[in-house]
Every structure is written in C-alpha cells, then in structure tokens.
Amino acid sequence: ATTENTNIVIFGASGDLTQRKLIPALYQLFASNLLPEKFTVLGVSRSGYSDESFRDKLHKALEDSENVDSVTLSRFIEHLYYLSIDPSDSSQYGKLKARLDDLGQAHGTGANNLFYLATPPSLYGLIPQYLAEQGLNKESDGWKRLIVEKPFGYNTASANELDDVIHEKFKESQLYRIDHYLGKETVQNLLVFRFSNGMFEPLWNRNFIDYVEITGGEFLGVEGRGGYYDGSGAVRDMFQNHLLQVLAMATMEPPSAIRADAIRDEVAKVMQSFQPLSDDDLKKNLVLGQYTASEVRGEMLPGYREEPGVSDESRTETYVGLKMFIDNWRWNGVPFYVRTGKRLPTRVTEVVIHFKKTPHPVFGKDAPENKLIIRIQPDEGIQMSFGLKKPGAGFEAQEVSMQFHYQSLEEATLLTAYERLLLDAVKGDATLFARSDAVKACWEFVEPILEYKEHPDALFGYAAGTWGPKEADDLLKNDDRAWRFPC
Ligand code: BG6
C-alpha cells in the first residue's frame, strides 16, 4: 500500500479523544515522515473554533509533551483546519463538501478523504448518510474511507442495525472499525510469535496446552467517564472488543498469507467458534464484580458508586471474569480464563499459556509447569518458565525463567496503537481493523452475559486495589488452578 495525499477529517474534533490520542498520533507520524507529502487535517464539530483558535488549542496541548519538537510542531500545526457545523444536521454538510473541495485544490490533496468518527456513538449511523448526500462516499475522484471509533453497537441488534445503515452508503472495504488493541505492537506479535517459531507452533493446541489465562487489568477507575461507563460496563467497554480480539490472535488458525482478508477470515472463524454460553455457564463460569471504596497504598479510593456520573444504586460491572471454551479441532476442551477490571492492583495485560505437565511425575507432583507469559503491556515482552534441577543433593526441580523485553531491542520505539492504526487507514490497509463478521460474532457471544447482568444475584463486590471478587478465584480453584497475580 502506498501513502497517498489525503484529507483527514475528524468529526468530534473538540473532544477528548482528538486532543489526547488522534492529534498526538498524527503529530508523531508527521515527525517521523510517515504521513503523505501533502495532507490536511480538518477538525469538525459544533464548537465555534476558527482555524486559528483550533490550532492554538492543539499547539498548547502538545507543546509540553514528551517527544515534541517545537519547530516540527509549528510545521505540523499549519496542516490543521477547522469547520464548525452541527454533524447531526444534514443541511450543513454542503459546507463540509465545499471546504474539502477548497482544501483539496489549495493543497493538492485532491479528493482522497479519510473520515474519522470520534463523536458520541449516536452519530455513527447519521454521519455516513449525510456524507453520502454530498457524494462524499463515492470513489470516482479519490478514495473515501470511514474510521468508526468503538463502541460499534450496544448489543447484537444495535450493532447489526448500525452495520446495515452504514453499508447502505459505504462498502465494507471502505470501513475501518477501530479496536485500538489491534494497533498494539505486542498484540500483533502474537501472530509472528506463533507462526514464525517452529519451536512453539507444533505445541499450540489442545494436545500440549493445559489452559490459558488472559488478563486485562487496570489500576485506574473510571476517571471522570462515569456517565459513559455506567451505561456500558466492563463487558461492553473492554471484554466484547479488546479481550476477545486478544483471545482471537492467540487462538486463530494460521492465515494463508499476511493479507487483510486472509487474517480477518481466520479471526472471524475462531470468534464464530467460541462456545455459546449456556445458563449453566452464566451461573458457574462467569463472575461480574463492582469495586468498593478501599485504602490502597495509603490513599483512600472511592467505590464505583461514589464516582462522578455514576448512580449510587448502579449495578454496572467494573470486573468480568469468565471461563470459556472454543469449539474447534485445535482447542477442544481447553479452558480459557479471561478477566478484565478497573481498580485492580496494577495495569497489566497479558496472555499466559500453561503447558501440560510431563506424563509421569518423577520429580514429584509439585514440579514446575512450563508457561509462556506474553506481556502485552506495560513492560512489553515474553517470559518462558521451565523446571531445572535444584542444585545440590537429590533430584528436586525448581522453576526458573528466561525473559525478553522489547526495551532491549535497539529499535525500541514502538508506534503507539493510534499511530499505527491511523497510518494503516491512510495507506488503505484494513488488516488491523475489526471486520463486520468478527464484531457480530463477539456481540453474539456476549449477548447472554448482557442479559444475565440484569439478574439480581449477578454482581459481587471487590475492594478497590484487589484482584476482583473472591468468586473469581473460585473459577480456577474449582479446577485446581489459580490465577497468576502479575506485578
Ligand atoms: C478503552 C476503554 O477502549 O480502553 C477504557 O474505553 C480503557 O475504559 C482503555 O481504559 C484501555 O486501553 P489501554 O490501551 O490503556 O489498555
């Protein structure tokens, strides 16, 4: 894919995501000479900025950041423009079309337009229609691409509906659904690690793997996003998308080639093989939790219900733990324990592969197991644990480990998730974006959990700063196992 001249249109330009993630990512791409030679960024939202005041605001937001050089920043800022329209009013889109025509001519960026929907989700269905009314979905004069932020839908029905509405005007190949976890270097590495190493590839199945843990933990609470989060909860916010994507990367079949559709075919296939959750699973294999106030390292942290924007009777889950299975040839019978939560002891995302023990326990039944810990973040890397003879008399085995840290690579600057994804969208590479069938499969899989959430016994409490409700420990304890408690 080549990087062609382009106009990047950001809807929701006065919002938090634009300032915190999108503009910094575009700046870094610009500073690394990765953006096309000719490009413009047109911010669109209701707020009444001019080009100048929009530039000033973002200049101020970026100037004190790490890795920002003032000369480069001034050059970058000149590419920014702003248009104040109400994106929910179709009659104002003529102005957008005219502005884009002008920018395209003045800057030689033509009619290649990348539209980024960073607005409230209620506008995701409308904006594409209104763009189409101005012909801004037609590719005769240049490509048109639509990036849609998460959440893509609220449940299966609304996700399908949104898909149908967008597909009336945009083809699937023009659509880029963001799941920023796919933009993470270490998530992509799951594929390279699995399919480029003859040492591990043959073992990656039910014959050799005993069970798998996937943890996506955060120490932060809802951070002023209570209003959004209370209507969402951990299942929609993290589990349905990020965690299931990571699971898919760890379990999918090898793609026939490193091409968008070849990879996305395998992702969809494994997601469609998640074993549907029965009523029994919901009762025995699912734990939903909500954090309560607690003192952590000398600081009193509020409970979830005390967070701004959250109802004081809220039953929204801030923790999900689930034991699940994949109904296919490779994974039959292997349990996957997947958990995510806010206000856990630390921020950590990792996949832990536990290998089966050797057949006969000559060194005692407590001899170490083999495990691979694939650390997605922070301290990105891989750790392999295995048994070794404990020095001294006798034949006791002890666990030791070998570690690789990304930091130790010479070329250690990893593109952030948003840098990678924006760059790919500009290039027209959809590999790391969620495809329609995959998103649907994930919603269908979590749908019974969404219904079960309403059940009066569904929610357990856990003290902020702990690893979730005690019931979540029982999920593994009942199988004679325990979660790894990473630090
Ligand atoms: C977002 C969720 O999608 O992912 C947030 O809405 C969450 O609630 C965030 O904090 C986690 O992302 P990361 O990249 O910090 O792990």
Side-chain angles (χ1 to χ4, degrees):
T2 52
T3 326
E4 294 164 355
N5 298 337
T6 177
N7 302 302
I8 302 171
V9 181
I10 303 179
F11 286 92
S14 57
D16 189 48
L17 184 76
T18 303
Q19 179 166 326
R20 272 194 320 115
K21 299 281 188 192
L22 306 184
I23 296 293
L26 288 170
Y27 166 80
Q28 290 302 341
L29 292 174
F30 174 76
S32 311
N33 278 327
L34 291 169
L35 286 182
E37 195 195 325
K38 294 177 182 159
F39 74 96
T40 64
V41 179
L42 176 63
V44 176
S45 81
R46 265 198 319 225
S47 315
Y49 293 106
S50 61
D51 288 346
E52 283 66 37
S53 58
F54 183 61
R55 289 176 177 186
D56 276 357
K57 166 180 138 100
L58 292 171
H59 194 281
K60 286 206 186 78
L62 258 75
E63 65 189 347
D64 295 328
S65 319
E66 256 176 67
N67 293 329
V68 171
D69 157 80
S70 62
V71 177
T72 315
L73 179 60
S74 302
R75 280 175 41 228
F76 170 73
I77 290 286
E78 283 168 25
H79 292 259
L80 305 187
Y81 296 87
Y82 186 81
L83 175 69
S84 165
I85 61 168
D86 175 356
S88 65
D89 178 357
S90 65
S91 70
Q92 302 193 17
Y93 279 65
K95 285 191 210 155
L96 172 61
K97 168 85 170 90
R99 191 75 197 270
L100 277 173
D101 287 347
D102 288 352
L103 286 175
Q105 271 180 14
H107 298 272
T109 42
N112 291 335
N113 295 331
L114 177 63
F115 299 103
Y116 198 119
L117 309 194
T119 60
S122 54
L123 293 173
Y124 294 171
L126 294 179
I127 295 174
Q129 291 184 50
Y130 299 161
L131 289 173
E133 283 171 14
Q134 302 296 329
L136 288 169
N137 57 341
K138 297 272 179 316
E139 302 202 280
S140 45
D141 51 352
W143 51 254
K144 307 287 179 293
R145 297 179 191 138
L146 198 62
I147 303 187
V148 187
E149 251 304 323
K150 62 156 273 221
F152 197 89
Y154 190 70
N155 52 22
T156 311
S158 59
N160 290 348
E161 204 178 299
L162 178 57
D163 227 33
D164 291 348
V165 172
I166 298 181
H167 280 153
E168 279 172 24
K169 306 295 179 193
F170 285 80
K171 291 180 290 211
E172 179 64 21
S173 58
Q174 293 174 282
L175 255 178
Y176 293 71
R177 295 178 195 76
I178 287 263
D179 183 316
H180 79 280
Y181 268 54
L182 289 177
K184 292 184 192 273
E185 187 71 45
T186 42
V187 172
Q188 296 153 30
N189 180 52
L190 281 166
L191 292 192
V192 179
F193 185 77
R194 288 182 56 198
F195 300 130
S196 73
N197 289 306
M199 177 163 76
F200 297 115
E201 187 280 329
L203 306 184
W204 215 267
N205 57 54
R206 70 184 189 293
N207 295 320
F208 302 98
I209 292 182
D210 192 17
Y211 67 103
V212 176
E213 285 175 76
I214 298 185
T215 295
E218 295 182 277
F219 174 66
L220 292 178
V222 289
E223 299 299 293
R225 293 160 75 226
Y228 147 77
Y229 195 89
D230 209 34
S232 164
V235 177
R236 291 187 171 94
D237 185 55
M238 288 286 291
F239 189 89
Q240 180 271 343
N241 36 61
H242 307 326
L243 276 270
L244 292 182
Q245 287 286 357
V246 172
L247 174 61
M249 298 296 257
T251 57
M252 64 190 256
E253 294 301 311
S256 55
I258 297 301
R259 268 203 324 267
D261 269 331
I263 292 180
R264 299 196 307 169
D265 285 346
E266 298 307 334
V267 169
K269 242 165 70 187
V270 76
M271 288 175 168
Q272 287 156 357
S273 312
F274 294 161
Q275 188 177 92
L277 297 170
S278 65
D279 290 347
D280 213 39
D281 288 325
L282 296 171
K283 278 190 216 110
K284 290 196 196 129
N285 293 336
L286 170 72
V287 177
L288 301 177
Q290 188 187 73
Y291 64 82
T292 55
S294 175
E295 192 178 311
V296 182
R297 300 186 274 274
E299 191 194 345
M300 194 63 203
L301 299 177
Y304 175 68
R305 291 179 187 178
E306 282 111 59
E307 300 276 11
V310 174
S311 141
D312 49 14
E313 289 174 8
S314 170
R315 298 190 51 76
T316 298
E317 79 290 354
T318 59
Y319 176 96
V320 198
L322 180 72
K323 171 180 170 184
M324 60 182 282
F325 293 89
I326 299 177
D327 277 343
N328 67 12
W329 203 260
R330 184 185 287 269
W331 295 114
N332 188 277
V334 178
F336 292 84
Y337 303 92
V338 186
R339 63 178 168 172
T340 178
K342 300 248 180 230
R343 284 290 185 225
L344 300 190
T346 184
R347 173 171 186 255
V348 58
T349 306
E350 62 177 31
V351 178
V352 188
I353 309 287
H354 295 262
F355 291 93
K356 290 185 175 170
K357 292 196 169 174
T358 49
H360 177 55
V362 278
F363 304 112
K365 68 175 176 31
D366 293 330
E369 58 165 8
N370 292 152
K371 55 178 184 276
L372 260 177
I373 301 168
I374 303 170
R375 181 58 82 92
I376 310 286
Q377 62 187 22
D379 188 16
E380 290 81 358
I382 294 185
Q383 177 180 319
M384 186 163 87
S385 312
F386 49 91
L388 194 80
K389 181 183 173 303
K390 198 173 191 171
F395 268 98
E396 235 180 287
Q398 79 174 65
E399 185 171 315
V400 293
S401 62
M402 291 196 319
Q403 310 196 6
F404 159 74
H405 298 277
Y406 270 83
Q407 257 173 359
S408 63
L409 290 179
E410 256 169 52
E411 283 295 316
T413 352
L414 310 182
L415 284 186
T416 65
Y418 275 100
E419 286 163 32
R420 174 67 200 260
L421 293 176
L422 276 162
L423 181 61
D424 281 4
V426 169
K427 288 182 172 171
D429 181 351
T431 311
L432 299 174
F433 292 83
R435 202 171 63 185
S436 176
D437 46 2
V439 173
K440 284 184 186 175
C442 290
W443 276 120
E444 277 165 22
F445 176 70
V446 303
E447 192 73 32
I449 309 184
L450 300 179
E451 285 163 25
Y452 182 73
K453 270 170 65 152
E454 308 303 325
H455 194 279
D457 300 332
L459 193 66
F460 300 95
Y462 63 98
T466 65
W467 282 106
K470 163 193 145 309
E471 286 73 10
D473 293 343
D474 297 342
L475 273 186
L476 279 85
K477 214 188 263 170
N478 296 339
D479 298 338
D480 253 343
R481 296 174 177 139
W483 291 106
R484 189 179 116 81
F485 293 116
C487 41

